[in-house]
Amino acid sequence: MKYSNVKGTHDILKDEQRGYDYIETVFETIAANFCFDKIETPMMEYTDVFARGVGEGSDVVRKEMYTFLDKAGRSVTLRPEYTAGIVRMVISNKMYGNLNSPLKFSYFGPLFRYERPQLGRYREFHQFGVECIGNINYTNDAEVISMASIMLEALGLKKVTVKINTLGGMETRANYKKALVDYFSAHIDKMCDDCNERLKLNPLRILDCKDPNDQEIIAGAPKITDYLTKEDKKAFKETKALLKLLDVKYKVDTSLVRGLDYYSNTIFEFHFVSRKGVDYGAIGGGGHYSNLVKDLGGPELEGVGFSFGIERLYSLLVDNNILKEDKLGVNLYFMPLSQNEVSIALSLANYFRACGYRSEVALNKFKLAANLKEAERRNTDFAIIVAEEELHHESVVVKEMINQQQTIVEIKDLLTFFDKIYQVDRNEDNCHCHEEGHECHCHDDDNDDIN
Ligand code: HAM
């Protein structure tokens, strides 16, 4: 029997994992500087959290959720997105007890959507995102959009298009939905089955339909800009003015509606097209949500947030040579020449790991030529040959891989030897050997106890 990974999932191998870690570190550092705290919510929630939160009319809830009954017959769902779960977390933990300033969270983790797998679209994927929840207004929206732009720039992405639009408040959306129902009702018999259902559940979702036949009809639909109340127009104008002051280069796209039902007022997406014209689609998106907290049983608080898709971000960074492949090499490769030297090689490696060197021990073969080849393949700085002959003199052979130069070094001098080359300053304050329960030898005059 041959097993493969589940359709739409993918193994994240080491270079890609390092890329994800890098992206996460860059984003998290910036989020922390904006005073967002990292949190994590469970990977599954009761289904209602998403059904009510994301909306019964959305494709995510209608078609894409991994939902099942647990052994007690409760319906649970693997999270298809973070926002509804985070709002549930705020309510469950009554985090709004004393809201003098908004709650600010960042997150990174896997999500699950039963979508048709294709380039940049998986059934298990990862997001980094933030949510800002409290007594907030359009200024928080602008701050969050500007933070997202700063994050993308920090990754080296300069040519990202920031699309923004507004869905207005309740009154605007009620009037707009009515206008859409009037318009689409006249065309619905020529539209796909999905759109027929969307018309009943949420006519706004018809605007997301990708069916080329329907798109012609959609192009003639009323535009939300014609239905904005005076208040909503003013709020959007103020948001745009603030974005300008914050130096965010946005484009207003009146056809942008986003696929989740909880949005109101400002919504936004980040798009990237490479120099060669490859369109990576939305690498992230978000918006303001005025009713989600209340809809999930909480008080009248509003929120704004966004999420970046890590798979899309990583592949566009690699494809466009922005994220240089960073293959982590080995600093020190210890090579015992027989079983007799294995324990010395292992304790030397442990000692050097504790001193901060990436160290490897060749444990499976004692063939010097093969191990040197492997060291080369592993991008090693130094091979350390641990052989009986030199051990008699409490020494090892150090071979610098780049120039093949060999030196015999006494074990007691080995740390100083490498520290000099790697320019490690091991005065008391900088020494980390005391950490992780290792005995420190850095300041000893003799290093007998590692022999
Ligand atoms: P979303 O637009 O559904 O928004 O997803 C955000 C990003 O996740 C997308 O722009 C895309 O890069 C990535 N993404 C979505 N689906 C897939 C998939 N199947 N495969 C790979 N990547 C994918 C949200 O999830 C909202 N919760 C964002 C938000 C936060 N709004 C307010 N706060």
Side-chain angles (χ1 to χ4, degrees), residues 80-83 107 113 115 120-123 125 127 130-131 258 260 262-263 269 282-287 289 304-309 311-312:
E81 64 110 43
Y82 262 102
T83 313
Y107 49 85
R113 292 185 191 176
E115 293 195 75
R121 197 172 288 284
Y122 297 91
R123 289 183 175 169
F125 61 99
Q127 285 184 348
V130 304
E131 309 296 336
R258 305 269 305 130
L260 311 163
Y262 49 62
Y263 292 118
E269 270 183 7
I283 52 178
Y289 42 94
V304 60
F306 65 79
S307 314
F308 288 125
E311 275 74 3
R312 290 186 200 177

Side-chain angles (χ1 to χ4, degrees), residues 34-50:
F34 274 79
C35 302
F36 281 70
D37 295 317
K38 188 163 184 209
I39 51 97
E40 178 58 305
T41 55
M43 238 179 268
M44 57 185 174
E45 296 277 353
Y46 289 123
T47 302
D48 267 359
V49 170
F50 300 116

Side-chain angles (χ1 to χ4, degrees), residues 9 21 53 70 107 117 127 130 158 161 180 193 202 305 309 314 316 329 348-349 395 429 433 438:
T9 67
D21 290 346
D70 68 10
Y107 49 85
Q127 285 184 348
V130 304
K158 302 222 162 58
T161 307
L180 289 177
D193 291 347
N202 183 356
Y314 174 75
L316 82 83
L348 277 173
S395 303
D429 293 344
C433 312
H438 287 280

